[in-house]
Amino acid sequence: PSAYLAPGEAWMIIAVTGTPGVGKTTVSKLLSEKLGYEYVSVKDFAFERGIGEMVGEELEIDVDELAEAMSREFHGRDVVIDGHLSHFVPADVVIVLRANPKLVVGRLMERGYSREKLAENVEAELVDVILVEALEENENVLEIDTTGKTPGEVVEEISELLERGIKRRFGIVDWSGVYDEVLPYLRLGSG
Ligand code: ADP
Ligand code: MG
């Protein structure tokens, strides 16, 4: 129970999703602190429970198994779930964080992503992959542009929308204008 819930509404599961590098972990932790909610990372949760398997260096998570285990565990609790698969978990609202693909390039390069993984993720951000997935999974989707904002400002924007009872808003970004600039990082043809 918190100040952000309408009377009668009991607990809330908030999923924070988006392309790697958009700021999910930073924002989720800060949001959970602000709301007094628990913070949970999809990756840690799945790893601890043996959901999914290691494929090479990566944990491949079965999303159905994840969704089932998380809804069982977090039913009746206030929680912020952080991860690029969090929109597959039944949640009261899905927050889709967006960031200019140029920022995604910089952040993922800094993380030492391979060219291939970089391309895959920059492309995903460019063409709204996670947003589209989230809309297929949940009625309540809030898209937030983090570009040029501080994590604190992003958290402020999210909590303000929730406070006003707004749980569906999208179509607020258009990255087509930066396509040319990120083109060198995309995987085109067999190059
Ligand atoms: P993700 O979990 O989506 O991969 P992280 O939170 O780990 O992203 O990393 C995002 C990076 O971007 C951090 O270094 C963070 O400080 C920075 N950043 C800059 N501005 C923002 C913002 N408005 N919201 C979230 N992160 C931001
Ligand atoms: Mg993260």
Side-chain angles (χ1 to χ4, degrees):
S2 87
Y4 296 95
L5 300 177
E9 227 179 315
W11 293 277
M12 183 137 82
I13 295 177
I14 302 175
V16 177
T17 190
T19 310
V22 291
K24 297 179 295 297
T25 300
T26 309
V27 165
S28 297
K29 287 184 172 164
L30 205 58
L31 182 66
S32 68
E33 277 169 34
K34 182 177 164 115
L35 299 179
Y37 281 28
E38 293 174 69
Y39 164 87
V40 56
S41 130
V42 163
K43 212 182 281 171
D44 294 349
F45 181 92
F47 191 72
E48 281 161 20
R49 270 145 239 260
I51 296 168
E53 51 183 318
M54 293 304 290
V55 177
E57 277 177 22
E58 271 174 76
L59 181 65
E60 207 148 275
I61 296 171
D62 179 325
V63 291
D64 293 329
E65 209 182 322
L66 173 78
E68 220 228 312
M70 278 201 149
S71 33
R72 214 183 314 122
E73 176 99 8
F74 298 118
H75 177 80
R77 282 158 72 173
D78 286 328
V79 63
V80 176
I81 301 172
D82 163 24
H84 70 283
L85 298 174
S86 66
H87 53 284
F88 292 108
V89 177
D92 296 285
V93 62
V94 176
I95 311 293
V96 180
L97 297 183
R98 306 301 305 270
N100 187 311
K102 289 193 286 182
L103 292 175
V104 173
V105 168
R107 290 177 191 161
L108 298 186
M109 276 177 52
E110 223 167 87
R111 283 183 199 177
Y113 271 43
S114 67
R115 263 199 85 81
E116 195 186 332
K117 271 189 75 183
L118 179 72
E120 186 189 322
N121 286 300
V122 173
E123 189 176 290
E125 183 55 26
L126 197 60
V127 301
D128 313 329
V129 167
I130 304 263
L131 173 68
V132 171
E133 279 181 8
L135 288 168
E136 284 170 1
E137 296 294 325
N138 206 306
E139 277 285 293
N140 297 329
V141 171
L142 284 179
E143 186 184 31
I144 308 280
D145 186 8
T146 67
T147 310
K149 296 170 190 164
T150 65
E153 285 168 341
V154 169
V155 165
E156 197 54 49
E157 189 173 329
I158 295 166
S159 44
E160 212 175 284
L161 288 165
L162 293 177
E163 238 175 314
R164 287 161 54 200
I166 297 168
K167 287 184 175 174
R168 189 170 166 91
R169 183 193 77 172
F170 58 90
I172 56 157
V173 304
D174 173 7
W175 303 141
S176 59
V178 294
Y179 180 78
D180 284 350
E181 281 172 89
V182 298
L183 192 56
Y185 304 100
L186 303 179
R187 33 162 197 196
L188 293 171
S190 55

